[in-house]
């Protein structure tokens, strides 16, 4: 039987709009999904025209400036929690208590305690969840996981995960909520490090020990004006103090015995969305770079030394690629990863079986982040 699932979005910026587009497109790519998605309501309090955009361009049935109206509305079944980090927990817990399924952007909470509170509220209410760990949805990443699990690189010895960006590299970059502990929680540890931790655990397995260092390269920024995004510049206003880190590097140890390095930065000049990994095993290696999403670099079935790499172009036979493009070498997009995320959430709702990244994964990533921060303070290894 086909079920109607009505989406409410709290926070209609970059991610809120990406969720809405994904839900709109999900049946284009997965016509057999027994769900009719509907765009029900958007809540956003920005003093600009984004509520009109939601109605006029996206086709949402209703809008409001008050997220409380949305999470308690009888016209909403799933709530996308896509506002700034400081409203995630309040919105998500209220939505779960009202019986709504949750599609929460990362980092789910401003730290481990809030992330656990969201996960517990969802569990108590018996609602399903998806979390925006979109990079694990890339077909090349899923293929890498299959190859690692099939032993094609042998026992994993060590791995490197890198999440480098330049969105905060400009000294005039506006001092938005992202740079304040009370509003954001950690800096890049939660923002990009959470994606890295999720990829690391998805591909190599549980992390059991962490030692980290951090740095804030730009310690003051001009105040933001209006509804500033990641990328806004300050308007020459007074300087405000940056309270959280621009950079983190962590040594990590996996339960399997493998060793690793996770590095994340929001202020790396020359790097834009430079997200990826290299995983080494006893008989091979595998590497991926988000900026070349459809390529997987593999070093399989080689001799121990002078081993050679080749590049696989991900094609229709691998993971979800075939529902987006008919042949290898045709690029998938970031938004496609969100379509896969939407599909997995809807599948969870219909089947009752959690599919894809859920709040349990958000709790894992937040546990790694918390351990990293504890390690920065104690200047030593921290066990998870
Ligand atoms: N998964 C990913 O790859 C990814 C990428 C970017 C951002 N994110 C996460 O998504 C979240 C949103 O980030 P973004 O880049 O879309 O931010 P954004 O600034 O573009 O959008 C946030 C929106 O929330 C609205 N908002 C703020 N306070 C509100 C309130 N009280 N009620 C209703 N609306 C409110 C703002 O007006 C804005 O429209 C963050 O948690 C971020 O970490 C995830």
């Amino acid at each position: 039987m086909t079920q109607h699932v009505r989406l409410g979005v709290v926070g209609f910026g970059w991610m809120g709009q990406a969720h809405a587009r994904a839900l709109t497109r999900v049946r284009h790519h997965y016509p057999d999904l027994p769900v009719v998605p509907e765009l029900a309501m958007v809540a956003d309090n920005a003093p600009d025209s984004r509520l009109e955009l939601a109605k006029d361009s996206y086709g949402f049935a209703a809008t409001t400036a008050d997220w409380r109206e949305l999470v308690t509305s009888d016209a909403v079944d799933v709530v996308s929690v896509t506002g700034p980090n400081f409203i995630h927990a309040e919105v998500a817990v209220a939505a779960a208590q009202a019986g709504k399924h949750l599609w929460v952007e990362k980092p789910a909470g401003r730290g481990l305690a809030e992330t656990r509170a969201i996960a517990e509220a969802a569990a108590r209410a018996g609602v399903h969840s998806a979390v925006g760990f979109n990079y694990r949805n890339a077909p090349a990443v899923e293929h890498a996981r299959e190859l690692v699990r099939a032993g094609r690189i042998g026992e994993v010895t060590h791995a490197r995960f890198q999440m480098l960006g330049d969105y905060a590299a400009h000294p005039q970059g506006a001092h938005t909520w992202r740079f304040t502990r009370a509003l954001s929680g950690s800096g890049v540890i939660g923002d990009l490090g959470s994606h890295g931790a999720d990829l690391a655990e998805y591909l190599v397995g549980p992390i059991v020990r962490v030692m980290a260092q951090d740095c804030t390269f730009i310690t003051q920024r001009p105040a933001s004006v209006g509804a500033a995004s990641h990328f806004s510049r300050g308007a020459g206003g007074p300087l405000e103090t940056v309270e959280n880190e621009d950079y983190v590097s962590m040594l990590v140890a996996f339960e399997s015995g493998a060793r690793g390095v996770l590095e994340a930065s929001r202020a790396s000049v020359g790097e834009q969305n430079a997200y990826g990994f290299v995983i080494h095993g006893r008989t091979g290696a595998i590497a991926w770079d988000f900026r070349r999403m459809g390529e997987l670099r593999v070093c399989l079935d080689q001799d121990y030394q002078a081993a050679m790499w080749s590049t696989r172009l991900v094609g229709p036979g691998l993971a979800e690629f075939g529902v987006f493009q008919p042949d290898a070498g045709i690029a998938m997009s970031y938004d496609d990863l969100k379509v896969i995320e939407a599909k997995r959430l809807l599948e969870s709702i219909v089947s009752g079986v959690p599919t894809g990244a859920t709040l349990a994964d958000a709790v894992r990533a937040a546990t790694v982040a918390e351990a990293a921060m504890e390690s920065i303070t104690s200047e030593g290894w921290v066990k998870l």
Side-chain angles (χ1 to χ4, degrees), residues 29 43 82 89 115 140 148 176 180-181 190 207 238 277 315 327 341 345 374:
H29 300 281
T82 47
T115 306
V148 170
T176 62
T180 306
R181 271 197 186 279
I207 291 172
F277 54 79
D327 200 3
E341 208 164 274
L345 174 59
E374 204 182 317

Side-chain angles (χ1 to χ4, degrees), residues 10-16 43-46 50 65 67 82-88 105-107 132 134-135 177-178 191 195 227-230 334 338:
V10 176
F12 203 56
W14 178 15
M15 280 305 107
D44 200 299
N45 63 0
R50 58 190 81 184
W67 63 261
T82 47
N85 298 359
F86 60 90
I87 64 167
H88 286 193
E105 269 310 328
K106 48 48 59 179
N134 25 260
Y135 300 109
W177 59 267
R178 292 175 191 280
D191 191 30
H195 280 300
S229 80
H230 266 70
Y334 175 88
K338 288 298 195 194

Side-chain angles (χ1 to χ4, degrees), residues 12-14 16-22 24 39 42 50-61 335:
F12 203 56
W14 178 15
Q17 292 174 40
H19 283 209
R21 288 193 297 270
T24 302
L39 300 180
V42 165
R50 58 190 81 184
L51 291 184
E52 278 111 84
L53 178 78
K55 260 194 159 167
D56 301 343
S57 299
Y58 281 77
F60 275 89
D335 273 28

Side-chain angles (χ1 to χ4, degrees), residues 102-321:
L102 299 176
W103 187 359
V104 185
E105 269 310 328
K106 48 48 59 179
R110 279 171 289 190
L112 181 57
E114 274 192 355
T115 306
R116 277 202 182 122
I118 299 170
E120 283 163 12
R124 262 198 307 276
V127 296
H128 285 284
S129 65
V131 173
F133 290 137
N134 25 260
Y135 300 109
R136 64 152 76 182
N137 299 333
V141 173
E142 293 200 49
H143 185 46
R145 186 174 194 245
E146 283 162 15
L147 292 171
V148 170
R149 292 191 153 203
R152 297 292 303 278
I153 63 169
E155 182 195 356
V156 176
T157 50
H158 60 108
R160 212 161 59 237
F161 295 85
Q162 176 188 285
M163 311 296 297
L164 303 183
D166 68 356
Y167 73 81
H170 200 296
Q172 294 300 312
H175 190 292
T176 62
W177 59 267
R178 292 175 191 280
F179 302 97
T180 306
R181 271 197 186 279
L183 299 182
S184 173
S186 63
V188 78
I189 293 177
D191 191 30
L192 298 179
S194 61
H195 280 300
D198 183 65
L199 280 176
E201 294 212 328
Y202 189 60
L203 288 156
V204 182
I207 291 172
V208 292
R209 223 165 50 241
V210 172
M211 181 156 79
Q213 62 174 338
D214 70 343
C215 196
T216 305
F217 302 134
I218 298 170
T219 53
Q220 291 194 310
R221 295 177 175 277
S224 67
V225 182
S229 80
H230 266 70
F231 306 104
S232 306
R233 296 271 162 84
L239 289 177
E240 293 178 352
T241 300
V242 173
E243 296 173 0
N244 52 29
E245 71 294 338
D246 289 330
Y247 173 87
V248 67
S249 47
M250 308 179 200
L251 296 176
V252 300
F254 293 91
E255 191 177 80
S256 65
R259 302 294 196 250
V261 178
L262 195 168
E263 188 182 36
S265 170
R266 62 188 180 189
S268 291
V269 170
E271 303 287 2
Q272 299 88 29
N273 304 292
Y275 309 152
F277 54 79
V278 185
I279 303 172
H280 293 271
R282 290 194 186 273
T283 58
I286 208 155
W288 180 75
D289 179 341
F290 165 65
R291 295 165 301 178
R292 307 178 77 90
M293 184 159 63
E295 298 178 9
L296 187 64
R297 292 183 57 238
V298 294
C299 176
L300 307 175
D301 311 320
Q302 299 274 314
D303 204 350
Y304 296 110
Q305 290 177 320
M308 286 183 294
W309 289 82
S310 59
T311 300
R312 282 189 181 176
L313 292 183
V314 176
L318 295 179
E320 306 290 321
F321 186 91

